[in-house]
Amino acid sequence: MTLTYIIAATFLGGVVSVALAAALSQPLLTLIVRHLVSLSTGVLLGTALLHVLPEAFESGRPPQALFLTLLGGLMFFFLLEKAE
């Protein structure tokens, strides 16, 4: 029964998103998509970071090295986004 709910929710979400995309005009859609891509990139990076950070502290490395690596990675992705 749970599988049926999952399939129905996935199908409904897909239909609603396609209907919403079809209802928006082209200039408005291009403006929104640019911001949504940035949002999704930030959410994916934040989620990955929050899952990896506790494991990094368990590795035994000094916290200064971990945060320096974290800062370097964040700056790299920030500059990569701005280079677009």
Side-chain angles (χ1 to χ4, degrees), residues 49 53-72:
L49 175 70
L53 201 56
E55 292 181 21
F57 278 112
E58 290 176 358
S59 70
R61 305 258 187 227
Q64 292 84 4
L66 292 176
F67 283 115
L68 187 61
T69 305
L70 173 64
L71 180 62

Side-chain angles (χ1 to χ4, degrees), residues 17 20-21 24 28-44 81:
S17 64
L20 183 64
L24 296 174
L28 182 63
L29 190 60
T30 54
L31 179 69
I32 291 173
V33 166
R34 187 168 176 205
H35 293 294
L36 289 179
V37 168
S38 296
L39 174 69
S40 64
T41 303
V43 167
L44 286 172
E81 176 71 26

